[in-house]
Amino acid sequence: MSDRPLTLITGGLRRLGAVIAARFAAAGHDLALVSPVDNEAEGDLAAALAAGGGGWAPFLCDLSVPENAAALVMQVAEHFGRSPDNLVNNAAIFGQDDRHGMSPRTLAEHFTLNNFAPVLLARQLADAAGPEKPVSVVHILDQRICNPHGDQLSYTLSKQALASSVRTLATAFAPYVRVNGVAPGLVIETCDYDAAQLDRLSAMMPLSVLLRPENVADAVMYLTGAADVTGQILYVD
């Protein structure tokens, strides 16, 4: 059995999740990378996993069905021979609804994946770890939790609810399970952003630059290793 820390990252094969996974691989972690559709690491992540020297495995899991959380943690523990030491709740859905488009369906979809699944995964990991095993949970949030806009309304509400869970879970799962959050700003643009829009957004930032995903990964790594920190949200924006 490996003596390296084992970290479970949801949405860990693409976009920000892949950058976080690469950072943990470089730090010598074994990795359980979760995706609803992918089972292969590509590009920079594949290179980082190979260079890191740790073990890793993909896990196909649809966390829009929150009951799958228990089975996922069990599968990871069976594969690696131990339960995870760390959890990074990164998987999320980003809808584009405003107040006119918000509906019971959009709210249910966003709260199920963005709130229920992370909370249930954290509980399941705490239960699997047993007494006196230190566990770190980091929720990936969004700076919108304190700077909300009129769009992505269901998404924003679900992330605000997840942010509120940080202090509550930190108290409920203490003393051996720590729960923290990282709230990034715009970190990896989608294909509908053009160069002019990115330049305009960069000029609006106090540091005149858009956030680099590697800095979000560094924040997650810090909180994962900060043994005396719990119930905190770190803004990287």
Side-chain angles (χ1 to χ4, degrees):
M1 182 185 300
S2 171
D3 59 358
R4 292 182 292 266
L6 173 58
T7 298
L8 170 61
I9 304 176
T10 66
L13 286 168
R14 296 292 177 267
R15 293 178 58 80
L16 179 59
V19 178
I20 295 171
R23 178 67 179 84
F24 276 76
H29 287 231
D30 289 336
L31 294 171
L33 304 181
V34 183
S35 169
V37 293
D38 297 321
N39 59 11
E40 293 185 5
E42 299 177 353
D44 292 343
L45 175 57
L49 292 170
W56 80 278
F59 293 86
L60 290 173
C61 182
D62 182 6
L63 291 172
S64 67
V65 181
E67 290 80 4
N68 288 342
L72 173 62
V73 173
M74 184 179 300
Q75 290 166 7
V76 172
E78 289 176 351
H79 179 88
F80 287 95
R82 65 198 193 278
S83 64
D85 304 286
N86 311 299
L87 168 64
V88 181
N89 279 312
N90 169 72
I93 182 175
F94 302 88
Q96 299 298 324
D97 60 327
D98 57 13
R99 70 184 181 93
H100 303 291
M102 185 179 66
S103 69
R105 180 186 59 80
T106 64
L107 287 168
E109 289 175 350
H110 284 81
F111 272 78
T112 297
L113 181 58
N114 296 358
N115 184 269
F116 298 166
V119 169
L120 290 171
L121 274 173
R123 196 279 305 270
Q124 196 66 35
L125 193 66
D127 291 348
E132 301 189 14
K133 175 182 175 178
V135 171
S136 166
V137 177
V138 178
H139 296 325
I140 303 301
L141 304 168
D142 193 302
Q143 61 83 29
R144 284 172 176 256
I145 62 176
C146 69
N147 297 307
H149 304 287
D151 61 344
Q152 293 189 320
L153 189 52
S154 294
Y155 165 77
T156 301
L157 290 168
S158 68
K159 287 293 187 177
Q160 287 172 329
L162 187 62
S164 293
S165 81
V166 168
R167 291 180 67 85
T168 301
L169 295 182
T171 301
F173 293 172
Y176 297 109
V177 179
R178 297 182 299 108
V179 182
N180 294 290
V182 172
L186 175 61
V187 60
I188 298 178
E189 68 274 9
T190 55
C191 60
D192 56 333
Y193 284 83
D194 59 29
Q197 186 176 13
L198 292 175
D199 288 343
R200 180 178 62 81
L201 291 171
S202 296
M204 293 169 61
M205 299 296 112
L207 300 179
S208 297
V209 65
L210 291 177
L211 173 61
R212 292 176 289 273
E214 292 78 11
N215 290 336
V216 179
D218 286 344
V220 177
M221 177 60 72
Y222 162 71
L223 288 173
T224 297
D228 295 327
V229 178
T230 192
Q232 305 303 308
I233 296 175
L234 181 59
Y235 288 83
V236 185
D237 179 30

